[in-house]
Amino acid sequence: MQQDEFRKWLVAQGQTEATASSRASSARRVEQYLGDLDELFAQEDRDSVLNRFAYTAEDERAERPNPSPVPIDGVLRAGLASLQQALKLYHSFLTEQSNVPDKAEHQALIDRLTRKEIEAAMQECDQLGLKAFLARGGFASPQVWVSDEGKDQTYPAKASVAAALGHLPDGRALAAKEFFNGFGEAQSFAKLEALGFQIIRKGTNGKDDAFTRERIEGAMDAYEEFRRSGAHADAFSSFGEPKDFWVRSSRPRQDKRFPTKPIVGYLLGKASNTFNGGWSQPGDAAARLHAAGYIIVDQHDTPLPLPEQHTHLVRGAERARLVALNYFIEPAREAGLHSVTIRAGDLHDMSGLVKNWANVCQALEKEAFQQLASVPAPTRTGPERSTTTEYTFVLTQDGKAKDPSMSQATQIETTNLILYGPPGTGKTYQTAWEAVRLCLGDAAAFDLTGAKSRDRLMAEYRRLMSEGRIEFVTFHQSMSYEEFVEGLRPAVDGEDPSENGAGFRLEPVAGIFQRVARRAEASAKAVTIHAQDADATQAMPDAPEPNADVFPSAAAEGADNDDLQPQPALAEELFTVGQLPPVRDGTFRKLAQDVALQLAEEHPQGFSLQQYREALVRAGRETGIEPTGGWEKHNMPTWASHPDQAWLVPADATSATAAVRNSSMDGDLQTSGATVRVEQSTASAHVLIIDEINRANISKVFGELITLLEPDKRLGRRDEIQLTLPYSKKHFGVPPNLHIIGTMNTADRSIALLDTALRRRFTFKELMPNPSVLSPNVGGINLQTLLTTINDRIEYLFDREHQIGHAYFTGCTSAEAVEDVMRHKVIPLLSEYFYEDWSKVAAVLGDGPQGPSRFLEARRLTAPPGIAADDFGAERLRWRVKDQFDFSEFAA
């Protein structure tokens, strides 16, 4: 750093000696942590350096940590702003010292380049030799190279473009520090690709074939054999014990640390005395492995921080992408996993980065990583771009989604998710996608993303709702525990209580949550029995005819409809389960079969019709599943029969259930000549969607569910908990295949008011307005600009939680439609936000009493006679919505 010259330059710019000394001291302080500023600004763009010290008012409110490596005493935001100002001034000082054209002039020169000038620069490199070619312009060892299609020779990318400028008419070659004031990488690479050249980062792609993941792991395998048996001694015996640098394997091993030098020596066939094991130079062992996306660690397997002075080491988003591919995506694929979740903080630390979480998140979100790893866009959970942000990637073959017909996924992890954000950000639509994803699997949901697939998504969503696998409920202020979990309801003893004076009684009735939980639990335990022999029913002794009722209905015998008792001839008989016809989950027929199967397990010798009736009524009232017309309109014999196949048989018949009890699951069973196939079905995911979850009294509605919702306390988990319900006295637990998705409108009620106990048990995903999904030209109106401008003004005057969502405008196809949305939806909502303070509504819309009148117009009110205008302290205005809007501020 040119400290004295910088201070003199500041004084010459009109600053006092004291201010100049302070600025120079601040710049010097930054240099202690980032290295020489002259070299730093020669290698990095000014904005990228300044971004390390960026700290907004929102960061301050959220009490986020210092993003820079420089310790700050006192107020963090003010201290970082002071350092930023010093760096801006020092960069201006360097720019004036270099006396080179500005960025626009350089870009104009690059735009003039053709393949002719680039090829001439490459010939220069061949004639001078690489070392002299770089030294002539003061370029450091390049990490990015360029080659022509079909040729093996590579050239330094930025240096080639800088030299090519000298071959333009009246042009001159630029040195490294001159080229865009020391920058120019992005401009150079973009121009080379536009001209048809190939950009290569050696060590990170196929051009450096020695350092693919497969070959590096193969070298580690060979080194393990050398440790164990002495094999490959000719390759490894000359290497001594490592001192400072090891590399971590990306595969499961007992000891994952390997010395860098022998691994690279094995790959390149080099002796130990021909290169170094560190990373101070691009050709050193650790530098090569680092460039291939491997983690360099110390002897304790702790990732080493990247030295600032070694600018050739890959950093930032590019580094995060490579590490994520090697240590998360590929190992998960090798293990045959369906998906993999990456936590931003873990990847950040593994990559050796320092306070660079935003770059890590950006790397995982962008399309570049999806192309590199052949994965679709991830789903994000947790806060936006934080250490705890998690990204889940579906692992596909060749980047294509798996066949949806094979995507009935077994869900391992329970999802408790709340989507929150301002109105109109697509929360309700997102719940539909999340619910379908949980029921059908990630691959099927990926195939249903995007506006073009919306109809197919909603059709799938409605189908799953009809099957009882998705339940939807909206919370409100009057929502109670009795509605949600369990309550007492009046039940009449007979159809006409006046005839016998019995009146009514209170019976426990399952609420919304208990019903869907029971269905999910039943689905997880379901057993399906398939008859393999067409004559199975005939093979069962004494089995009734397939089309005949097992038991004659009471109605057929002339009995009253309220006669729920079995016929006398059958009262003493015992029954069990025979052939089960396939039925849908969530139906009464499925419930009846499940009850019969459970009784068959509990009573191996058979069960009576009375036992069956009582068990079925009890199960029906617990789950809320009833026969068509209700319990009072159906008698026992009708419930127990099927119009096409009989499945209750006398207990002395050889039944499938008996075979189930005496055989292992998933086996072929023999029953009196009939082969029966028994299969344990996979746990079928069920989803409960709770819209406006923050509008009810959470503690009152959820009750004991607050504890039961935790994934590790679900049924079948290590810390399983079952409670006794207060009304029915039944044991109840939440099954692991029941997922809960809630939505919160942050403009309706602040997220800060949500019950703390519930917050801890749910993952929160923010959905904010996304102007990029809107059209930039609808009837001459730029909807992106319109929404962005309105929301910026709302956040300035109010807060970020009361913005306008993009969904308000997604259906607009004409200027008239946009005006209709503004008049009938947006302006009334703004009026509500600002409590009828129309001056603030006007400020959001860009209107004012003295300025232009686009959406609102104001008329000044005069004071009534006898009242001085000064008595009210400010002028009084009457605002009205204009008959015709002016969208000129947002013209396309």
Side-chain angles (χ1 to χ4, degrees):
M1 173 184 173
Q2 307 168 50
Q3 187 170 354
D4 292 338
E5 291 82 354
F6 177 46
R7 188 174 60 253
K8 294 176 182 177
W9 179 83
L10 289 172
V11 173
Q13 299 300 311
Q15 299 199 22
T16 65
E17 287 282 355
T19 302
S21 297
S22 176
R23 296 297 188 198
S25 177
S26 295
R28 181 64 178 171
R29 187 158 180 263
V30 172
E31 190 173 56
Q32 293 173 357
Y33 293 91
L34 297 184
D36 183 70
L37 290 183
D38 291 3
E39 184 176 338
L40 180 67
F41 280 121
Q43 298 294 332
E44 292 190 37
D45 187 283
R46 187 197 78 154
D47 290 340
S48 68
V49 175
L50 294 178
N51 283 341
R52 302 187 193 186
F53 300 87
Y55 200 77
T56 64
E58 182 183 342
D59 295 329
E60 188 173 46
R61 286 194 297 271
E63 297 182 352
R64 296 191 176 107
N66 183 356
S68 79
V70 182
I72 301 296
D73 297 326
V75 180
L76 180 57
R77 186 180 174 197
L80 290 171
S82 178
L83 295 181
Q84 269 195 326
Q85 184 62 26
L87 289 171
K88 288 178 183 177
L89 290 169
Y90 192 75
H91 178 266
S92 298
F93 160 72
L94 290 177
T95 302
E96 186 172 308
Q97 291 289 99
S98 62
N99 192 27
V100 296
D102 62 18
K103 189 173 183 177
E105 293 178 9
H106 273 176
Q107 187 65 64
L109 289 172
I110 286 185
D111 291 342
R112 292 171 55 195
L113 288 176
T114 66
R115 289 184 63 91
K116 175 183 176 183
E117 289 80 31
I118 301 296
E119 290 169 353
M122 291 176 173
Q123 291 177 2
E124 275 190 89
C125 184
D126 291 335
Q127 294 168 359
L128 295 173
L130 177 61
K131 187 174 181 179
F133 182 71
L134 293 171
R136 184 185 66 177
F139 288 93
S141 299
Q143 290 297 294
V144 183
W145 303 72
V146 60
S147 72
D148 206 353
E149 186 176 357
K151 297 181 181 179
D152 295 330
Q153 183 65 34
T154 58
Y155 301 88
K158 182 180 174 182
S160 296
V161 173
L165 296 175
H167 293 275
L168 290 171
D170 302 324
R172 70 178 183 89
L174 297 181
K177 288 189 177 183
E178 290 179 309
F179 194 18
F180 278 86
N181 297 326
F183 316 136
E185 284 86 352
Q187 296 82 0
S188 302
F189 308 155
K191 185 61 179 181
L192 290 169
E193 288 183 325
L195 292 175
F197 293 97
Q198 183 179 7
I199 297 296
I200 301 165
R201 294 180 182 271
K202 287 197 173 180
T204 64
N205 58 26
K207 284 294 180 177
D208 203 342
D209 293 332
F211 290 91
T212 63
R213 178 172 178 267
E214 291 74 16
R215 295 201 61 183
I216 292 173
E217 295 293 339
M220 294 174 177
D221 292 338
Y223 194 79
E224 280 189 330
E225 293 179 10
F226 170 67
R227 284 172 172 167
R228 185 170 53 250
S229 65
H232 308 288
D234 56 333
F236 295 120
S237 58
S238 64
F239 293 91
E241 288 297 317
K243 296 180 180 180
D244 301 308
F245 296 93
W246 284 259
V247 59
R248 181 188 295 173
S249 173
S250 63
R251 289 178 177 165
R253 302 177 189 269
Q254 186 173 0
D255 185 0
K256 301 187 75 169
R257 296 176 308 122
F258 291 85
T260 59
K261 198 171 181 181
I263 296 299
V264 172
Y266 179 86
L267 291 170
L268 298 179
K270 288 188 175 183
S272 62
N273 60 353
T274 60
F275 65 102
N276 295 321
W279 54 13
S280 60
Q281 298 298 324
D284 293 346
R288 287 178 178 269
L289 293 169
H290 171 89
Y294 271 77
I295 300 172
I296 308 303
V297 299
D298 61 16
Q299 57 182 335
H300 305 296
D301 198 33
T302 302
L304 295 175
L306 306 182
E308 290 292 338
Q309 66 271 24
H310 299 339
T311 57
H312 58 275
L313 296 178
V314 179
R315 303 168 191 270
E318 183 176 4
R319 171 68 176 160
R321 283 194 292 267
L322 295 171
V323 173
L325 177 65
N326 283 343
Y327 289 89
F328 289 92
I329 301 296
E330 293 303 335
R333 276 204 178 103
E334 291 175 352
L337 299 181
H338 177 261
S339 62
V340 62
T341 298
I342 304 177
R343 184 184 172 96
D346 295 341
L347 178 59
H348 174 274
D349 296 343
M350 291 170 65
S351 302
L353 305 177
V354 178
K355 296 182 179 179
N356 207 353
W357 305 290
N359 253 357
V360 171
C361 293
Q362 185 181 29
L364 295 176
E365 293 169 359
K366 294 297 183 181
E367 187 177 351
F369 181 68
Q370 298 166 31
Q371 294 176 350
L372 176 69
S374 296
V375 293
T379 56
R380 177 176 65 83
T381 56
E384 185 176 359
R385 296 193 175 179
S386 168
T387 56
T388 58
T389 307
E390 293 184 343
Y391 296 88
T392 299
F393 293 89
V394 178
L395 303 180
T396 58
Q397 299 295 329
D398 301 324
K400 297 180 180 179
K402 295 180 180 178
D403 185 355
S405 64
M406 301 175 62
S407 62
Q408 184 71 17
T410 300
Q411 301 293 333
I412 299 174
E413 294 299 329
T414 300
T415 297
N416 291 335
L417 173 67
I418 288 180
L419 305 172
Y420 70 98
T425 53
K427 296 183 290 297
T428 304
Y429 171 75
Q430 185 69 16
T431 60
W433 186 87
E434 291 283 355
V436 172
R437 180 184 70 83
L438 290 167
C439 289
L440 301 183
D442 294 328
F446 174 71
D447 191 46
L448 296 173
T449 55
K452 294 182 179 178
S453 302
R454 185 181 185 116
D455 291 341
R456 290 195 298 125
L457 171 68
M458 297 312 296
E460 201 67 35
Y461 174 77
R462 287 188 290 270
R463 180 184 68 80
L464 291 167
M465 287 193 75
S466 68
E467 293 179 1
R469 293 183 60 190
I470 297 177
E471 189 84 21
F472 185 96
V473 61
T474 300
F475 273 10
H476 49 82
Q477 288 84 349
S478 300
M479 194 75 179
S480 66
Y481 176 89
E482 285 73 18
E483 293 175 272
F484 193 61
V485 183
E486 180 183 76
L488 294 175
R489 294 287 186 275
V492 180
D493 288 332
E495 284 192 355
D496 186 1
S498 63
E499 292 181 1
N500 51 31
F504 69 89
R505 64 185 182 278
L506 294 176
E507 286 191 352
V509 176
I512 298 167
F513 185 85
Q514 187 184 160
R515 290 200 299 269
V516 69
R518 297 288 190 193
R519 288 203 301 269
E521 184 180 3
S523 175
K525 295 179 178 178
V527 177
T528 304
I529 302 177
H530 303 284
Q532 303 293 334
D533 194 326
D535 299 325
T537 55
Q538 298 177 6
M540 295 181 183
D542 301 322
E545 292 296 325
N547 292 328
D549 285 346
V550 181
F551 317 110
S553 70
E557 297 295 324
D560 293 334
N561 283 340
D562 61 349
D563 180 12
L564 303 179
Q565 303 301 322
Q567 297 300 308
L570 301 175
E572 302 301 323
E573 289 194 48
L574 298 180
F575 297 86
T576 187
V577 180
Q579 181 183 357
L580 295 180
V583 293
R584 277 205 326 266
D585 183 27
T587 63
F588 174 73
R589 181 64 53 183
K590 182 68 167 61
L591 175 69
Q593 290 186 0
D594 290 343
V595 169
L597 282 168
Q598 184 175 356
L599 284 173
E601 291 287 342
E602 296 172 353
H603 304 283
Q605 303 306 316
F607 52 86
S608 69
L609 294 183
Q610 184 65 20
Q611 286 176 302
Y612 180 54
R613 174 190 181 278
E614 292 173 354
L616 185 55
V617 172
R618 184 169 57 249
R621 286 180 173 159
E622 286 180 352
T623 61
I625 300 176
E626 297 183 3
T628 303
W631 293 107
E632 303 305 327
K633 298 299 181 183
H634 292 76
N635 55 32
M636 174 63 215
T638 302
W639 301 341
S641 64
H642 191 276
D644 300 318
Q645 288 180 307
W647 50 271
L648 282 188
V649 297
D652 57 356
T654 303
S655 68
T657 302
V660 171
R661 290 194 298 270
N662 297 322
S663 304
S664 61
M665 302 303 288
D666 294 328
D668 288 335
L669 310 179
Q670 301 298 323
T671 62
S672 302
T675 302
V676 176
R677 179 73 179 171
V678 181
E679 298 175 352
Q680 180 66 47
S681 66
T682 58
S684 183
H686 285 62
V687 181
L688 174 62
I689 298 173
I690 306 175
D691 201 25
E692 305 288 358
I693 192 171
N694 56 316
R695 300 195 69 187
N697 185 329
I698 297 298
S699 299
K700 175 184 175 183
V701 173
F702 276 81
E704 65 270 22
L705 292 184
I706 290 292
T707 299
L708 299 182
L709 287 178
E710 295 188 42
D712 62 333
K713 294 180 175 59
R714 301 285 185 108
L715 295 175
R717 296 293 169 85
R718 183 187 62 186
D719 299 325
E720 172 188 318
I721 290 181
Q722 292 193 54
L723 300 176
T724 301
L725 294 173
Y727 298 114
S728 65
K729 307 302 179 184
K730 298 294 183 181
H731 288 293
F732 178 70
V734 181
N737 61 324
L738 175 59
H739 308 275
I740 304 170
I741 303 175
T743 68
M744 282 184 54
N745 186 340
T746 55
D748 175 61
R749 184 178 177 189
S750 173
I751 188 175
L753 300 179
L754 193 66
D755 190 285
T756 304
L758 196 68
R759 286 175 60 90
R760 186 172 67 81
R761 291 167 172 86
F762 276 77
T763 296
F764 285 76
K765 180 178 180 180
E766 185 180 55
L767 296 179
M768 296 300 289
N770 182 11
S772 64
V773 304
L774 301 177
S775 172
N777 189 347
V778 173
I781 303 170
N782 188 328
L783 291 182
Q784 296 180 359
T785 304
L786 173 65
L787 184 63
T788 301
T789 304
I790 289 176
N791 282 335
D792 286 348
R793 292 168 179 170
I794 291 175
E795 187 169 357
Y796 184 88
L797 294 170
F798 201 168
D799 59 36
R800 69 191 298 271
E801 293 183 350
H802 288 75
Q803 296 182 47
I804 304 295
H806 52 270
Y808 282 96
F809 296 97
T810 50
C812 294
T813 57
S814 65
E816 291 75 17
V818 177
E819 182 168 333
D820 188 66
V821 168
M822 290 293 296
R823 184 180 303 279
H824 300 296
K825 295 183 179 180
V826 174
I827 293 178
L829 184 60
L830 293 174
S831 172
E832 180 182 339
Y833 280 175
F834 294 106
Y835 305 100
E836 301 294 331
D837 185 346
W838 284 91
S839 61
K840 289 184 178 179
V841 176
V844 170
L845 299 173
D847 293 331
Q850 307 300 330
S853 176
R854 299 185 177 92
F855 301 93
L856 305 176
E857 57 185 8
R859 181 169 69 85
R860 187 173 289 102
L861 299 176
T862 59
I867 297 178
D870 294 341
D871 292 346
F872 293 92
E875 65 178 356
R876 295 289 176 136
L877 300 173
R878 171 181 293 166
W879 294 92
R880 66 176 293 271
V881 181
K882 295 183 63 177
D883 295 329
Q884 187 169 357
F885 291 163
D886 175 11
F887 288 96
S888 59
E889 182 184 2
F890 314 108

